[in-house]
Amino acid sequence: MITDVKRLLSEFDGITEYWSPRIIGQANDQYIKLAKLKGEFIWHDHAAEDELFFVVKGRLEIRYRDRSVMLQEGDLHVTPKGIEHCPVAEDECWVMLIEPISTLHTGDVADPRARSIKEQLADSGLTAKGG
Ligand code: NI
């Protein structure tokens, strides 16, 4: 749980790698994660989990097979479970994600950028309860 104050903008200072979510807190069965994104990610889906994107800084495009949405700073978007998507950030973008502890950020797709929950928990003070 976040029992102290988390200053989102400062929390991003410690993130040096793109597409590598950092867990900063937990509420019920959801992790709160921050990530810096740049470039194109991979096409993937999350069979059992919706995925919430909140853009803190910059712009993020979420591509779907039949459309795409462009998120600006302050915008919120939810990708429904089971829907293939590919996030693309032309320039550096900062996002907050709120998702079940079971969610894998690359879905079932193997990718060198895939980070385990343990890796995402680094320095958070939380212990892994999910996969
Ligand atoms: Ni996703």
Side-chain angles (χ1 to χ4, degrees):
M1 284 215 320
I2 297 178
T3 52
D4 54 350
V5 176
K6 291 282 182 183
R7 303 199 188 281
L8 281 194
L9 296 180
S10 305
E11 291 290 329
F12 278 98
D13 288 347
I15 301 177
T16 55
E17 200 181 350
Y18 293 125
W19 307 106
S20 181
R22 164 179 297 216
I23 295 167
I24 62 159
Q26 182 178 351
N28 301 308
D29 293 327
Q30 312 278 321
Y31 278 142
I32 300 146
K33 305 180 179 183
L34 303 181
K36 287 182 180 175
L37 314 179
K38 188 173 182 186
E40 184 172 334
F41 201 46
I42 48 168
W43 283 97
H44 66 282
D45 69 274
H46 311 276
E49 301 104 351
D50 299 331
E51 180 167 26
L52 181 154
F53 295 92
F54 174 71
V55 176
V56 176
K57 188 173 169 182
R59 282 153 41 99
L60 177 66
E61 179 185 5
I62 305 292
R63 290 184 186 156
Y64 295 105
R65 291 302 186 184
D66 60 347
R67 67 181 181 123
S68 107
V69 295
M70 180 60 80
L71 307 176
Q72 314 284 343
E73 202 164 296
D75 284 353
L76 186 68
H77 179 72
V78 176
T79 296
K81 60 177 72 73
I83 302 294
E84 250 192 319
H85 57 284
C86 180
V88 180
E90 197 168 308
D91 298 306
E92 181 173 298
C93 173
W94 297 5
V95 295
M96 178 169 69
L97 311 163
I98 299 175
E99 54 194 27
I101 57 179
S102 58
T103 303
L104 303 174
H105 70 129
T106 57
D108 291 327
V109 179
D111 187 272
R113 290 169 295 185
R115 294 287 174 268
S116 70
I117 293 296
K118 272 184 187 156
E119 289 171 307
Q120 297 176 42
L121 278 165
D123 306 324
S124 70
L126 300 168
T127 51
K129 290 176 188 161

